[in-house]
Amino acid sequence: MLTSANPDKPANHAAQPGAQPGPGIRVILADSQAIYRVGMRKVFALEDDIRVVAQAETLANLHAALQRYPTDVVVLEGQLIAGTIDAIPELVKRSPDAKLIVQVVETDEANIVELYRRGVRGVVPRSVSPDLLIKCVRKIADGETWIDNQSISWVIEAYRSQASNLTNPRVQPKLSKKELAIISCITRGMRNKEIAYQIGTTEQVIKNYLRKVYDKLGVSDRLELALYCLHHQLLKSYLHDQPDAVPMIPAVQTMPLRAKM
């Protein structure tokens, strides 16, 4: 259910075209439990600079509300996005100006780090005090990030681990000789048909191998694959063990990589 912030207006009341928004921070309350929405609305109603413009009880309702109402801050129940890994990026994509605050029941390290990575501007416990929630909304509306000391430590450690993994050869993805041979051809700008002819297989087999390689390395296309190889010197040992292999040419510098997978 999508409702207007004004309880006297019908649930599907739409903002009037050309209407000038009132002053203050415009907030949408997205929560599956009405008691939380009512409580937060009453808390914010006491503040002159905060105005609840809409309420939503599902993720679909929130998408509709963001399309209908100009919004500065969304206070979002964490349970609404549970199990939907792309929910936060999708919200950020749809409404880049709306800053997200997620309320969580438990402060799980992996979940908190992932929320900040995906674009959330603040994470607060479900039991947050009214005064602290108001302060959080104001800080985030002003362009800041709301993060407690424990979460700061988690985020910093996560990025340190990520940087270490990128440079640690022991945790580099393991690739077969055939996969490395295909990657070597990709970096020389060869098409799938040409690679298939050289290796002695079909074009569809090459496509299947490429999908596996993309998944292993965390890249999405041929350009990212070539850049990854150059940055990590992925083919250095392969070329050393294959003296007859054609040396790798930095394809990203010498020719455009074809978009074809």
Side-chain angles (χ1 to χ4, degrees):
M1 179 181 67
L2 167 63
T3 65
S4 165
N6 188 336
D8 297 326
K9 294 179 181 178
N12 291 324
H13 176 80
Q16 294 298 320
Q20 293 299 319
I25 302 167
R26 300 161 298 184
V27 176
I28 289 179
L29 305 177
D31 202 297
S32 63
Q33 299 186 39
I35 191 169
Y36 275 94
R37 298 197 305 272
V38 171
M40 287 188 289
R41 181 168 58 82
K42 289 183 176 180
V43 167
F44 292 137
L46 299 175
E47 307 302 317
D48 294 335
D49 61 333
I50 299 177
R51 183 167 58 94
V52 177
V53 296
Q55 302 175 44
E57 65 177 12
T58 67
L59 197 55
N61 293 156
L62 176 56
H63 289 158
L66 286 168
Q67 286 185 328
R68 184 176 300 179
Y69 302 103
T71 309
D72 300 304
V73 175
V74 175
V75 181
L76 173 64
E77 178 196 5
Q79 191 60 33
L80 281 185
I81 57 174
T84 52
I85 191 170
D86 293 325
I88 293 298
E90 182 65 22
L91 288 169
V92 172
K93 180 181 178 180
R94 286 170 178 254
S95 302
D97 295 331
K99 303 171 181 68
L100 303 178
I101 300 172
V102 175
Q103 290 185 318
V104 295
V105 176
E106 298 178 353
T107 52
D108 173 74
E109 178 178 352
N111 184 46
I112 298 298
V113 169
E114 193 62 24
L115 286 172
Y116 281 111
R117 275 178 170 167
R118 290 184 174 273
V120 167
R121 300 296 292 273
V123 179
V124 296
R126 196 81 161 131
S127 58
V128 64
S129 68
D131 290 344
L132 205 57
L133 181 59
I134 290 168
K135 184 177 180 181
C136 175
V137 167
R138 286 176 177 151
K139 290 286 187 181
I140 288 178
D142 202 32
E144 299 183 28
T145 296
W146 183 272
I147 183 169
D148 58 41
N149 290 333
Q150 178 62 73
S151 297
I152 289 174
S153 299
W154 287 341
V155 171
I156 290 175
E157 184 58 34
Y159 278 102
R160 281 176 177 169
S161 298
Q162 183 182 43
S164 175
N165 288 343
L166 288 175
T167 57
N168 187 350
R170 290 178 298 178
V171 295
Q172 288 291 325
K174 291 184 178 180
L175 298 167
S176 68
K177 286 187 177 180
K178 183 161 287 188
E179 288 172 336
L180 289 169
I182 292 171
I183 293 171
S184 177
C185 293
I186 292 292
T187 60
R188 301 203 301 275
M190 295 174 64
R191 294 175 296 182
N192 289 346
K193 186 175 182 179
E194 295 168 334
I195 299 172
Y197 177 79
Q198 177 162 320
I199 293 179
T201 185
T202 66
E203 191 172 353
Q204 184 59 50
V205 169
I206 298 300
K207 290 182 180 180
N208 294 339
Y209 269 108
L210 276 177
R211 290 193 186 96
K212 292 179 182 179
V213 168
Y214 289 169
D215 289 340
K216 284 184 179 182
L217 301 183
V219 299
S220 59
D221 56 33
R222 299 163 90 93
L223 177 58
E224 287 188 12
L225 175 60
L227 291 172
Y228 184 100
C229 291
L230 290 172
H231 181 71
H232 296 279
Q233 298 184 340
L234 191 65
L235 297 174
K236 186 175 181 180
S237 59
Y238 168 75
L239 293 173
H240 181 269
D241 296 335
Q242 303 289 329
D244 296 332
V246 180
M248 181 182 68
I249 301 172
V252 292
Q253 298 177 10
T254 60
M255 64 188 76
L257 286 171
R258 300 171 178 85
K260 183 180 177 183
M261 184 175 174

